[in-house]
Amino acid sequence: MFIPEDVQAEELGAEARQELRGLPKTLADEVARNLVMIGRTVDEDPELAYKYAKVALRLASRVAAVREAAGIAAYMAGAYAEALSELRAARRMTGSSEHWAVMADCERGLGRPERALQMAGADEVKELDKAAQIELRIVAAGARRDLDQLDAAVVTLQVPELNSASTNPWVARLRFAYADALAAVGRDDEARDWFGRAAEADTTGETGAAERVAELDGLDFTDALDEDAEDDEDEDEDFDGEEGGDDDVPEAVDAADADADAEADEADTKAEPVADAKD
């Protein structure tokens, strides 16, 4: 796997670098650079990130940070079985339940929503921080929807944290999930309100809440950076503008009608002598 020259092992977090110290220096640096590449690519190209993760696994599968990174990359790439396996391995190595919500969502991805709900009620939940607990609640609501328990999904998300004044990303994600659950049961007015509140909390546009608000309001949300949309607008201008617009069309039609009338008059003139001959 190609790694740009500017990627340095020192970019890796201190905790992960500490775990790599048991490896030979050259090997540790190579593993670290692959882990850095996972971090650089996982959001925009998870498939590529997973490839870097596989390289890191071949080099240092006994390092917990490697198993954890591989698990997250696999999850983002939709390889849920592999993700679950790697995250379980990392948990055995570290004893941490940090990625419990991701593991539960992997169960959903594998078509096992009942297991995800079991995990949502397990003792490990008590070990999670607030962000991870909220993520797990969102996963549990998704599992309810997988089981066609739409009203239960709404209830699952009815928690005080919906009104939190925190600026943490989980606030927007929780509100969006709640709004989406409301929309699924036909409570559109409430859904619109909560999509709006999600958009207010979503400073990075991660959830797409603003687009959902526009959709419910019947607005056509156009991405200003979408080149295809710009092309469509240009085509519309060709029809509506001065040079190639609708104003030119009647003139062309009138000209065609005039030619047709002239031909008809000429035909009538030629036909008259025939009529006289019959008389």
Side-chain angles (χ1 to χ4, degrees), residues 1 4 30 45 66 73 82 105 107 113 152 165 207 221 233 244 249 261 277:
M1 292 291 295
E30 187 175 356
D45 193 345
V66 172
E82 292 82 354
D105 206 27
E107 294 288 5
T207 64
F221 193 92
E233 291 178 0
V249 176
D261 291 341

Side-chain angles (χ1 to χ4, degrees), residues 95-130:
S96 171
S97 300
E98 177 184 0
H99 298 294
W100 193 253
V102 177
M103 294 166 64
D105 206 27
C106 286
E107 294 288 5
R108 282 189 63 212
L110 292 170
R112 302 190 296 239
E114 296 89 349
R115 292 192 184 183
L117 290 173
Q118 290 174 359
M119 293 181 68
D123 292 338
E124 285 80 358
V125 179
K126 300 175 184 177
E127 304 173 18
L128 305 178
D129 62 17
K130 177 60 68 176

Side-chain angles (χ1 to χ4, degrees), residues 104-105 108-109 112-114 116-117 135-150 152-154 156-157 177 180-181:
D105 206 27
R108 282 189 63 212
R112 302 190 296 239
E114 296 89 349
L117 290 173
E135 290 297 332
L136 184 59
R137 188 169 287 276
I138 293 172
V139 170
R144 292 293 184 190
R145 292 178 66 171
D146 293 341
L147 295 168
D148 202 28
Q149 300 172 1
L150 304 185
V154 172
T156 299
L157 296 168
D180 199 40

